[in-house]
Amino acid sequence: MVMDINEIREYLPHRYPFLLVDRVTQLTTGESIVAYKNVSINEPFFNGHFPHHPIMPGVLVLEALAQVCGILGFKTVNKLPADGYVYYLVGSDNVRFKRPVMPGDKLTLEADVIKGKRGIWKFACRAKVDGELACEAEIICAERKVA
């Protein structure tokens, strides 16, 4: 299964400049997802992080991973933000940053379901650049009705 940016926008309520997923390349409902973000020098955060040595803030790498977790969660339970649901990032454990993410990188985002119960999901996540690990984390998301 492949999702382009138009379908991704149906499954994530985020919009520019906070939508951090460009394409989903693999998705197995209830199991795993692989997606990517093309990192461009035009990203607004590069103006201040850091002007002479631009790197993507680690918290935004973690946010990008959380967004793919949200897509996988929504696809698994067959719900949409338009139905009044949202996935909140409620926790992260064992977060480790291994290399900087820089302009021009293609950030591959991977998440595997560890467990899901009553709207609380735990995922094993990895962010990679050219196959090299940039970040790993366990991410916890909670599905909530907001409308």
Side-chain angles (χ1 to χ4, degrees), residues 60-70 108-111 125-127 135-137 139:
L60 293 181
V61 174
L62 197 63
E63 172 65 24
L65 287 168
Q67 288 182 17
V68 298
C69 292
T108 302
L109 307 162
E110 304 173 354
C125 302
R126 294 156 309 284
C135 176
E136 61 185 343
I139 291 179

Side-chain angles (χ1 to χ4, degrees), residues 1 7 9 11 16 24 34 48 57-58 62 65 67 71-72 74 92 94 105 109-111 122-123 127 133 141 144 146:
M1 172 180 292
E7 189 174 2
R9 288 168 48 100
Y11 284 88
Y16 178 84
V24 174
V34 178
L62 197 63
L65 287 168
Q67 288 182 17
I71 293 169
L72 180 55
F74 274 127
S92 57
N94 304 314
D105 286 345
L109 307 162
E110 304 173 354
K122 187 171 188 177
F123 303 89
L133 188 64
C141 296
R144 295 292 180 256
V146 293

